[in-house]
Amino acid sequence: MKRIAVLTSGGDAPGMNAAIRAVVRTGLNKGWEVFGIRQGYEGLISGNMAPMKARDVSGIIQMGGTVLGSARCPDFRSDEGRLKALRALNQNDIEALVVIGGDGSQRGAYALSQMGFPVIGVASTIDNDLYGSDIAIGVDTALNIALEAIDRLKVTASSHQRSFLVEVMGRNSGYLALMSGIAGGAEAICIPEVETDPEALAVELRDSYRRGKSHAMVVVAEGAKYNADALMHYFQKHRDRLGFDLRATTLGHVQRGGAPGAFDRLLATRLGAAATEHLARGEHGLLMGLIGSEIMGTPLEEVVTKKKELDMRLWELAEVLAK
Ligand code: ADP
Ligand code: F6P
């Protein structure tokens, strides 16, 4: 019998629970023991783990967040921290580990696999900045939450002929901003990948009123040089440049806390199941991700060395559609 463990790490993402459930139930179905590790790498280092049974993952597929808990764990970045983790895994006779998380978590997974321990990653982050998966667990739900906010803000913006800055998360990636901007019909989008000139932005927004629009929505990525705070600061200093009323809303963690939609539940289920499937074949050191319509394993080495690029054709399309 094989004994494996699963943890969730980094920023929680809607769908992580569905992935835990899939790992546990497909692992049990193979006759394995499956341990759940609490609070990500923190729990791994301290050996905070317990066996999970089928009923332990009942009723969680529809829940946002992660029942195992998550953490940002600076200690895991050091050899010393990872050696402690390795010791805890060995003391509990764990033979393989599934890491459900984003870019940083997969860097940790790669570092552990480099120390000779079998690890499989599952792509999960609302930022969608992880190489090896076209879309990660949580992205679709976070996008829909952002869209609901944008749609609502548009209603009030139109009533007052106002302009709104809506800041979405994404760390250093503009993916969430670009996609929610396109799907929400934004007049402008500010992302880290493209330099924003606030002066040109003001001209663009004024122009959209001239073209007969009743509002101007700007979706701003938190990682953009001119995020919502910086733009508000700029326009407060240069009030004369605007000529219309401007408000800012930062969505923040609201985007992360939602119940996963059908897409994320299904993606998480497929990725979790693929993780145990690969382990059963003796394959590890891979990230489970969705490429095209297929679940594929990408070597963790590639995942941590290659950068996921934004499709700039969509940026150009957004500009055309904003007219
Ligand atoms: P996410 O996985 O959502 O991107 P973080 O970037 O915070 O979130 O990473 C989660 C955790 O992964 C970190 O708190 C740390 O424990 C671990 N981690 C991140 N980067 C590395 C690294 N280069 N080496 C080892 N562990 C890392
Ligand atoms: O990585 C997910 C994410 O939500 C990013 O979009 C954001 O920058 C970050 O986590 C926020 O981190 P924390 O929850 O630690 O404030």
Side-chain angles (χ1 to χ4, degrees), residues 111-170:
L112 192 64
S113 74
Q114 286 294 91
M115 295 166 91
F117 196 84
V119 189
I120 286 257
V122 169
S124 180
T125 167
I126 65 162
D127 300 340
N128 211 26
D129 57 351
L130 196 49
Y131 186 88
S133 198
D134 292 346
I135 189 155
I137 296 169
V139 176
D140 184 67
T141 304
L143 267 177
N144 279 302
I145 296 168
L147 277 182
E148 191 184 337
I150 292 168
D151 291 347
R152 285 170 184 237
L153 290 168
K154 219 179 214 181
V155 171
T156 172
S158 281
S159 308
H160 292 263
Q161 302 266 306
R162 270 180 184 152
S163 178
F164 264 86
L165 304 175
V166 190
E167 185 178 291
V168 300
M169 277 187 163

Short mmCIF file of all heavy atoms in Angstrom, two decimals, residues 111-170:
data_model
loop_
_atom_site.label_atom_id
_atom_site.label_comp_id
_atom_site.label_asym_id
_atom_site.label_seq_id
_atom_site.Cartn_x
_atom_site.Cartn_y
_atom_site.Cartn_z
N ALA A 111 11.67 22.57 -5.45
CA ALA A 111 12.83 22.51 -4.55
C ALA A 111 12.82 21.20 -3.76
O ALA A 111 13.86 20.55 -3.59
CB ALA A 111 12.82 23.71 -3.61
N LEU A 112 11.63 20.79 -3.32
CA LEU A 112 11.53 19.53 -2.56
C LEU A 112 11.82 18.34 -3.46
O LEU A 112 12.50 17.39 -3.05
CB LEU A 112 10.11 19.42 -1.96
CG LEU A 112 9.90 18.35 -0.91
CD1 LEU A 112 10.75 18.63 0.34
CD2 LEU A 112 8.42 18.28 -0.51
N SER A 113 11.33 18.40 -4.68
CA SER A 113 11.57 17.27 -5.60
C SER A 113 13.06 17.19 -5.95
O SER A 113 13.59 16.10 -6.16
CB SER A 113 10.70 17.39 -6.86
OG SER A 113 11.20 18.39 -7.71
N GLN A 114 13.74 18.34 -5.96
CA GLN A 114 15.19 18.35 -6.21
C GLN A 114 15.97 17.68 -5.08
O GLN A 114 17.10 17.28 -5.24
CB GLN A 114 15.70 19.79 -6.36
CG GLN A 114 15.34 20.45 -7.66
CD GLN A 114 16.04 19.77 -8.84
OE1 GLN A 114 15.50 18.83 -9.44
NE2 GLN A 114 17.24 20.20 -9.16
N MET A 115 15.32 17.58 -3.91
CA MET A 115 15.96 16.91 -2.77
C MET A 115 15.65 15.42 -2.79
O MET A 115 15.93 14.70 -1.83
CB MET A 115 15.49 17.56 -1.46
CG MET A 115 15.94 19.00 -1.33
SD MET A 115 15.08 19.90 -0.01
CE MET A 115 16.17 19.60 1.36
N GLY A 116 15.00 14.97 -3.87
CA GLY A 116 14.79 13.53 -4.07
C GLY A 116 13.43 13.02 -3.64
O GLY A 116 13.17 11.82 -3.68
N PHE A 117 12.52 13.95 -3.21
CA PHE A 117 11.20 13.48 -2.77
C PHE A 117 10.19 13.57 -3.92
O PHE A 117 10.13 14.59 -4.61
CB PHE A 117 10.72 14.29 -1.56
CG PHE A 117 9.58 13.61 -0.85
CD1 PHE A 117 9.84 12.63 0.10
CD2 PHE A 117 8.27 13.91 -1.17
CE1 PHE A 117 8.79 11.96 0.73
CE2 PHE A 117 7.22 13.25 -0.54
CZ PHE A 117 7.48 12.28 0.41
N PRO A 118 9.38 12.50 -4.13
CA PRO A 118 8.38 12.53 -5.21
C PRO A 118 7.25 13.54 -4.94
O PRO A 118 6.51 13.38 -3.96
CB PRO A 118 7.83 11.11 -5.24
CG PRO A 118 8.80 10.28 -4.46
CD PRO A 118 9.40 11.19 -3.44
N VAL A 119 7.15 14.54 -5.80
CA VAL A 119 6.12 15.57 -5.64
C VAL A 119 5.38 15.76 -6.96
O VAL A 119 5.98 15.71 -8.04
CB VAL A 119 6.75 16.95 -5.26
CG1 VAL A 119 5.66 17.95 -4.89
CG2 VAL A 119 7.73 16.81 -4.11
N ILE A 120 4.08 15.99 -6.85
CA ILE A 120 3.26 16.36 -8.02
C ILE A 120 2.54 17.66 -7.67
O ILE A 120 1.98 17.80 -6.58
CB ILE A 120 2.20 15.27 -8.32
CG1 ILE A 120 2.85 14.03 -8.94
CG2 ILE A 120 1.09 15.81 -9.21
CD1 ILE A 120 2.68 13.88 -10.44
N GLY A 121 2.57 18.62 -8.60
CA GLY A 121 1.88 19.89 -8.37
C GLY A 121 0.52 19.91 -9.06
O GLY A 121 0.31 19.22 -10.06
N VAL A 122 -0.39 20.69 -8.49
CA VAL A 122 -1.70 20.93 -9.11
C VAL A 122 -1.87 22.45 -9.23
O VAL A 122 -1.78 23.17 -8.24
CB VAL A 122 -2.84 20.30 -8.26
CG1 VAL A 122 -4.20 20.77 -8.74
CG2 VAL A 122 -2.76 18.78 -8.30
N ALA A 123 -2.08 22.92 -10.48
CA ALA A 123 -2.09 24.36 -10.76
C ALA A 123 -3.31 25.04 -10.15
O ALA A 123 -4.44 24.80 -10.56
CB ALA A 123 -2.09 24.58 -12.27
N SER A 124 -3.07 25.91 -9.17
CA SER A 124 -4.20 26.55 -8.48
C SER A 124 -3.81 27.94 -8.02
O SER A 124 -3.06 28.10 -7.06
CB SER A 124 -4.58 25.67 -7.28
OG SER A 124 -5.65 26.24 -6.60
N THR A 125 -4.30 28.95 -8.72
CA THR A 125 -4.07 30.34 -8.33
C THR A 125 -5.00 31.24 -9.13
O THR A 125 -5.13 31.06 -10.34
CB THR A 125 -2.62 30.79 -8.59
OG1 THR A 125 -2.56 32.23 -8.48
CG2 THR A 125 -2.09 30.40 -9.96
N ILE A 126 -5.61 32.21 -8.47
CA ILE A 126 -6.50 33.10 -9.22
C ILE A 126 -5.70 33.99 -10.18
O ILE A 126 -6.26 34.57 -11.10
CB ILE A 126 -7.39 33.97 -8.30
CG1 ILE A 126 -6.55 34.95 -7.47
CG2 ILE A 126 -8.28 33.12 -7.41
CD1 ILE A 126 -7.37 36.10 -6.90
N ASP A 127 -4.38 34.12 -9.94
CA ASP A 127 -3.56 35.04 -10.75
C ASP A 127 -3.36 34.54 -12.19
O ASP A 127 -3.06 35.33 -13.08
CB ASP A 127 -2.18 35.25 -10.10
CG ASP A 127 -2.29 35.82 -8.71
OD1 ASP A 127 -3.34 36.41 -8.38
OD2 ASP A 127 -1.32 35.68 -7.94
N ASN A 128 -3.48 33.25 -12.39
CA ASN A 128 -3.23 32.61 -13.68
C ASN A 128 -1.86 32.97 -14.26
O ASN A 128 -1.72 33.24 -15.45
CB ASN A 128 -4.33 32.93 -14.71
CG ASN A 128 -4.51 31.78 -15.68
OD1 ASN A 128 -4.23 30.63 -15.36
ND2 ASN A 128 -4.95 32.07 -16.89
N ASP A 129 -0.85 32.94 -13.39
CA ASP A 129 0.51 33.29 -13.82
C ASP A 129 1.43 32.07 -13.82
O ASP A 129 2.64 32.19 -13.79
CB ASP A 129 1.08 34.37 -12.88
CG ASP A 129 1.09 33.93 -11.43
OD1 ASP A 129 0.51 32.87 -11.11
OD2 ASP A 129 1.68 34.65 -10.59
N LEU A 130 0.81 30.88 -13.85
CA LEU A 130 1.59 29.66 -13.71
C LEU A 130 1.82 29.00 -15.07
O LEU A 130 0.86 28.59 -15.73
CB LEU A 130 0.80 28.72 -12.77
CG LEU A 130 1.47 27.53 -12.14
CD1 LEU A 130 2.80 27.90 -11.50
CD2 LEU A 130 0.53 26.92 -11.10
N TYR A 131 3.07 28.88 -15.45
CA TYR A 131 3.42 28.20 -16.70
C TYR A 131 3.04 26.71 -16.56
O TYR A 131 3.27 26.11 -15.53
CB TYR A 131 4.94 28.34 -16.97
CG TYR A 131 5.33 27.78 -18.31
CD1 TYR A 131 5.30 28.57 -19.45
CD2 TYR A 131 5.72 26.45 -18.43
CE1 TYR A 131 5.64 28.05 -20.69
CE2 TYR A 131 6.04 25.91 -19.67
CZ TYR A 131 6.00 26.72 -20.78
OH TYR A 131 6.33 26.19 -22.01
N GLY A 132 2.45 26.15 -17.62
CA GLY A 132 2.10 24.73 -17.57
C GLY A 132 0.61 24.50 -17.41
O GLY A 132 0.16 23.36 -17.35
N SER A 133 -0.17 25.57 -17.34
CA SER A 133 -1.64 25.44 -17.34
C SER A 133 -2.24 26.68 -17.98
O SER A 133 -1.96 27.79 -17.53
CB SER A 133 -2.17 25.27 -15.91
OG SER A 133 -3.48 24.74 -15.94
N ASP A 134 -3.01 26.48 -19.04
CA ASP A 134 -3.64 27.62 -19.71
C ASP A 134 -4.48 28.40 -18.70
O ASP A 134 -4.52 29.62 -18.72
CB ASP A 134 -4.55 27.16 -20.86
CG ASP A 134 -3.73 26.56 -22.00
OD1 ASP A 134 -2.50 26.75 -22.00
OD2 ASP A 134 -4.33 25.90 -22.87
N ILE A 135 -5.15 27.64 -17.87
CA ILE A 135 -5.97 28.27 -16.82
C ILE A 135 -5.86 27.43 -15.56
O ILE A 135 -5.86 26.20 -15.62
CB ILE A 135 -7.43 28.45 -17.30
CG1 ILE A 135 -8.22 29.29 -16.31
CG2 ILE A 135 -8.14 27.14 -17.57
CD1 ILE A 135 -9.42 30.01 -16.93
N ALA A 136 -5.67 28.11 -14.43
CA ALA A 136 -5.48 27.39 -13.16
C ALA A 136 -6.79 27.35 -12.39
O ALA A 136 -7.73 28.11 -12.67
CB ALA A 136 -4.40 28.09 -12.33
N ILE A 137 -6.84 26.50 -11.38
CA ILE A 137 -8.02 26.40 -10.51
C ILE A 137 -8.25 27.77 -9.84
O ILE A 137 -7.30 28.37 -9.31
CB ILE A 137 -7.79 25.33 -9.41
CG1 ILE A 137 -7.64 23.94 -10.03
CG2 ILE A 137 -8.92 25.36 -8.39
CD1 ILE A 137 -7.16 22.87 -9.05
N GLY A 138 -9.47 28.26 -9.89
CA GLY A 138 -9.83 29.50 -9.19
C GLY A 138 -9.98 30.69 -10.10
O GLY A 138 -10.66 31.66 -9.75
N VAL A 139 -9.34 30.64 -11.27
CA VAL A 139 -9.34 31.80 -12.16
C VAL A 139 -10.76 32.13 -12.64
O VAL A 139 -11.21 33.27 -12.57
CB VAL A 139 -8.43 31.55 -13.38
CG1 VAL A 139 -8.50 32.71 -14.36
CG2 VAL A 139 -6.99 31.31 -12.93
N ASP A 140 -11.46 31.10 -13.09
CA ASP A 140 -12.79 31.33 -13.67
C ASP A 140 -13.74 31.92 -12.62
O ASP A 140 -14.47 32.88 -12.91
CB ASP A 140 -13.35 30.01 -14.22
CG ASP A 140 -14.69 30.21 -14.91
OD1 ASP A 140 -14.71 30.87 -15.96
OD2 ASP A 140 -15.71 29.74 -14.37
N THR A 141 -13.70 31.38 -11.41
CA THR A 141 -14.59 31.90 -10.35
C THR A 141 -14.22 33.33 -10.00
O THR A 141 -15.09 34.20 -9.88
CB THR A 141 -14.52 31.00 -9.10
OG1 THR A 141 -14.84 29.66 -9.49
CG2 THR A 141 -15.48 31.46 -8.03
N ALA A 142 -12.91 33.60 -9.85
CA ALA A 142 -12.47 34.96 -9.51
C ALA A 142 -12.89 35.95 -10.60
O ALA A 142 -13.32 37.07 -10.30
CB ALA A 142 -10.95 34.98 -9.32
N LEU A 143 -12.78 35.51 -11.84
CA LEU A 143 -13.19 36.37 -12.96
C LEU A 143 -14.67 36.70 -12.88
O LEU A 143 -15.08 37.84 -13.09
CB LEU A 143 -12.94 35.65 -14.28
CG LEU A 143 -11.60 35.91 -14.96
CD1 LEU A 143 -11.48 35.07 -16.22
CD2 LEU A 143 -11.45 37.38 -15.29
N ASN A 144 -15.47 35.68 -12.58
CA ASN A 144 -16.92 35.92 -12.49
C ASN A 144 -17.28 36.84 -11.34
O ASN A 144 -18.21 37.64 -11.45
CB ASN A 144 -17.66 34.58 -12.39
CG ASN A 144 -17.82 33.96 -13.77
OD1 ASN A 144 -18.41 34.57 -14.66
ND2 ASN A 144 -17.25 32.79 -13.98
N ILE A 145 -16.53 36.75 -10.24
CA ILE A 145 -16.79 37.65 -9.10
C ILE A 145 -16.43 39.09 -9.51
O ILE A 145 -17.18 40.03 -9.25
CB ILE A 145 -15.98 37.21 -7.86
CG1 ILE A 145 -16.46 35.84 -7.39
CG2 ILE A 145 -16.12 38.24 -6.74
CD1 ILE A 145 -15.56 35.18 -6.37
N ALA A 146 -15.29 39.23 -10.19
CA ALA A 146 -14.88 40.57 -10.65
C ALA A 146 -15.93 41.12 -11.61
O ALA A 146 -16.29 42.30 -11.55
CB ALA A 146 -13.52 40.50 -11.33
N LEU A 147 -16.45 40.26 -12.48
CA LEU A 147 -17.44 40.71 -13.47
C LEU A 147 -18.72 41.19 -12.82
O LEU A 147 -19.30 42.18 -13.24
CB LEU A 147 -17.79 39.55 -14.42
CG LEU A 147 -16.81 39.34 -15.56
CD1 LEU A 147 -17.30 38.21 -16.45
CD2 LEU A 147 -16.69 40.63 -16.36
N GLU A 148 -19.13 40.47 -11.77
CA GLU A 148 -20.36 40.89 -11.09
C GLU A 148 -20.16 42.30 -10.54
O GLU A 148 -21.04 43.16 -10.65
CB GLU A 148 -20.72 39.91 -9.99
CG GLU A 148 -22.10 40.20 -9.49
CD GLU A 148 -22.53 39.33 -8.32
OE1 GLU A 148 -22.00 38.24 -8.14
OE2 GLU A 148 -23.42 39.81 -7.59
N ALA A 149 -18.99 42.54 -9.96
CA ALA A 149 -18.70 43.87 -9.39
C ALA A 149 -18.66 44.92 -10.49
O ALA A 149 -19.23 46.01 -10.35
CB ALA A 149 -17.37 43.81 -8.64
N ILE A 150 -18.00 44.59 -11.60
CA ILE A 150 -17.90 45.56 -12.70
C ILE A 150 -19.30 45.90 -13.24
O ILE A 150 -19.63 47.07 -13.46
CB ILE A 150 -16.99 45.01 -13.83
CG1 ILE A 150 -15.54 44.92 -13.33
CG2 ILE A 150 -17.07 45.87 -15.09
CD1 ILE A 150 -14.61 44.13 -14.22
N ASP A 151 -20.11 44.87 -13.43
CA ASP A 151 -21.48 45.09 -13.94
C ASP A 151 -22.26 46.02 -13.01
O ASP A 151 -22.96 46.92 -13.44
CB ASP A 151 -22.24 43.77 -14.07
CG ASP A 151 -21.67 42.89 -15.20
OD1 ASP A 151 -20.87 43.41 -16.00
OD2 ASP A 151 -22.03 41.70 -15.26
N ARG A 152 -22.13 45.78 -11.70
CA ARG A 152 -22.86 46.61 -10.73
C ARG A 152 -22.35 48.05 -10.75
O ARG A 152 -23.13 48.99 -10.68
CB ARG A 152 -22.68 46.05 -9.32
CG ARG A 152 -23.49 44.81 -9.08
CD ARG A 152 -23.08 44.16 -7.77
NE ARG A 152 -23.80 42.93 -7.60
CZ ARG A 152 -24.57 42.66 -6.55
NH1 ARG A 152 -24.70 43.52 -5.59
NH2 ARG A 152 -25.19 41.50 -6.48
N LEU A 153 -21.03 48.18 -10.81
CA LEU A 153 -20.45 49.54 -10.79
C LEU A 153 -20.86 50.31 -12.04
O LEU A 153 -21.07 51.52 -12.00
CB LEU A 153 -18.92 49.46 -10.68
CG LEU A 153 -18.42 48.99 -9.31
CD1 LEU A 153 -16.93 48.67 -9.35
CD2 LEU A 153 -18.70 50.05 -8.24
N LYS A 154 -21.00 49.59 -13.15
CA LYS A 154 -21.39 50.23 -14.40
C LYS A 154 -22.78 50.86 -14.28
O LYS A 154 -23.04 51.94 -14.81
CB LYS A 154 -21.42 49.16 -15.49
CG LYS A 154 -20.89 49.63 -16.82
CD LYS A 154 -20.96 48.48 -17.78
CE LYS A 154 -19.82 48.53 -18.74
NZ LYS A 154 -19.89 47.44 -19.70
N VAL A 155 -23.66 50.17 -13.57
CA VAL A 155 -25.03 50.67 -13.41
C VAL A 155 -25.01 52.01 -12.69
O VAL A 155 -25.61 52.99 -13.15
CB VAL A 155 -25.89 49.64 -12.62
CG1 VAL A 155 -27.23 50.25 -12.25
CG2 VAL A 155 -26.06 48.38 -13.43
N THR A 156 -24.29 52.07 -11.57
CA THR A 156 -24.27 53.33 -10.82
C THR A 156 -23.44 54.39 -11.56
O THR A 156 -23.79 55.57 -11.55
CB THR A 156 -23.81 53.12 -9.35
OG1 THR A 156 -23.64 54.40 -8.75
CG2 THR A 156 -22.55 52.34 -9.21
N ALA A 157 -22.37 53.95 -12.24
CA ALA A 157 -21.55 54.90 -13.01
C ALA A 157 -22.40 55.58 -14.08
O ALA A 157 -22.35 56.80 -14.26
CB ALA A 157 -20.37 54.18 -13.65
N SER A 158 -23.22 54.80 -14.79
CA SER A 158 -24.07 55.33 -15.86
C SER A 158 -25.07 56.35 -15.32
O SER A 158 -25.32 57.38 -15.94
CB SER A 158 -24.85 54.21 -16.52
OG SER A 158 -24.02 53.54 -17.41
N SER A 159 -25.63 56.05 -14.16
CA SER A 159 -26.63 56.95 -13.59
C SER A 159 -26.05 58.33 -13.33
O SER A 159 -26.76 59.32 -13.38
CB SER A 159 -27.18 56.38 -12.28
OG SER A 159 -27.60 55.07 -12.48
N HIS A 160 -24.77 58.39 -13.01
CA HIS A 160 -24.13 59.66 -12.65
C HIS A 160 -23.15 60.16 -13.71
O HIS A 160 -22.39 61.09 -13.44
CB HIS A 160 -23.38 59.51 -11.32
CG HIS A 160 -24.28 59.31 -10.14
ND1 HIS A 160 -24.66 60.32 -9.31
CD2 HIS A 160 -24.91 58.19 -9.69
CE1 HIS A 160 -25.47 59.85 -8.37
NE2 HIS A 160 -25.63 58.55 -8.58
N GLN A 161 -23.10 59.48 -14.83
CA GLN A 161 -22.13 59.83 -15.88
C GLN A 161 -20.69 59.80 -15.33
O GLN A 161 -19.84 60.59 -15.71
CB GLN A 161 -22.40 61.25 -16.42
CG GLN A 161 -23.79 61.43 -16.98
CD GLN A 161 -23.83 61.21 -18.48
OE1 GLN A 161 -23.07 61.81 -19.22
NE2 GLN A 161 -24.68 60.31 -18.91
N ARG A 162 -20.48 58.89 -14.37
CA ARG A 162 -19.18 58.85 -13.70
C ARG A 162 -18.20 57.90 -14.40
O ARG A 162 -18.59 57.06 -15.19
CB ARG A 162 -19.36 58.32 -12.28
CG ARG A 162 -19.62 59.41 -11.30
CD ARG A 162 -19.79 58.84 -9.91
NE ARG A 162 -20.14 59.90 -9.00
CZ ARG A 162 -20.86 59.75 -7.89
NH1 ARG A 162 -21.32 58.56 -7.57
NH2 ARG A 162 -21.11 60.77 -7.12
N SER A 163 -16.96 58.05 -13.98
CA SER A 163 -15.95 57.09 -14.39
C SER A 163 -15.52 56.32 -13.14
O SER A 163 -15.47 56.89 -12.04
CB SER A 163 -14.76 57.84 -14.99
OG SER A 163 -13.77 56.91 -15.34
N PHE A 164 -15.25 55.04 -13.30
CA PHE A 164 -14.81 54.21 -12.17
C PHE A 164 -13.51 53.50 -12.47
O PHE A 164 -13.33 52.98 -13.57
CB PHE A 164 -15.86 53.13 -11.86
CG PHE A 164 -16.82 53.53 -10.78
CD1 PHE A 164 -17.94 54.26 -11.07
CD2 PHE A 164 -16.57 53.17 -9.46
CE1 PHE A 164 -18.83 54.63 -10.08
CE2 PHE A 164 -17.45 53.53 -8.45
CZ PHE A 164 -18.58 54.27 -8.75
N LEU A 165 -12.64 53.49 -11.48
CA LEU A 165 -11.47 52.61 -11.55
C LEU A 165 -11.82 51.39 -10.72
O LEU A 165 -12.21 51.53 -9.56
CB LEU A 165 -10.25 53.27 -10.91
CG LEU A 165 -9.82 54.64 -11.44
CD1 LEU A 165 -8.66 55.18 -10.59
CD2 LEU A 165 -9.37 54.52 -12.90
N VAL A 166 -11.71 50.20 -11.30
CA VAL A 166 -11.97 48.97 -10.54
C VAL A 166 -10.66 48.19 -10.49
O VAL A 166 -10.16 47.74 -11.53
CB VAL A 166 -13.03 48.08 -11.23
CG1 VAL A 166 -13.43 46.94 -10.30
CG2 VAL A 166 -14.24 48.89 -11.65
N GLU A 167 -10.12 48.06 -9.28
CA GLU A 167 -8.84 47.34 -9.19
C GLU A 167 -9.08 45.87 -8.87
O GLU A 167 -9.77 45.53 -7.92
CB GLU A 167 -7.96 47.97 -8.11
CG GLU A 167 -6.57 47.32 -8.08
CD GLU A 167 -5.66 47.95 -7.07
OE1 GLU A 167 -5.26 49.10 -7.28
OE2 GLU A 167 -5.36 47.28 -6.06
N VAL A 168 -8.49 45.01 -9.69
CA VAL A 168 -8.59 43.57 -9.46
C VAL A 168 -7.22 43.02 -9.04
O VAL A 168 -6.19 43.65 -9.26
CB VAL A 168 -9.11 42.81 -10.72
CG1 VAL A 168 -10.49 43.31 -11.11
CG2 VAL A 168 -8.16 42.95 -11.89
N MET A 169 -7.23 41.83 -8.44
CA MET A 169 -5.98 41.21 -7.99
C MET A 169 -5.19 40.63 -9.17
O MET A 169 -5.54 40.86 -10.32
CB MET A 169 -6.29 40.12 -6.98
CG MET A 169 -6.49 40.61 -5.58
SD MET A 169 -6.64 39.21 -4.47
CE MET A 169 -6.33 40.01 -2.92
N GLY A 170 -4.19 39.87 -8.89
CA GLY A 170 -3.40 39.23 -9.94
C GLY A 170 -1.90 39.31 -9.70
O GLY A 170 -1.09 38.91 -10.53
#
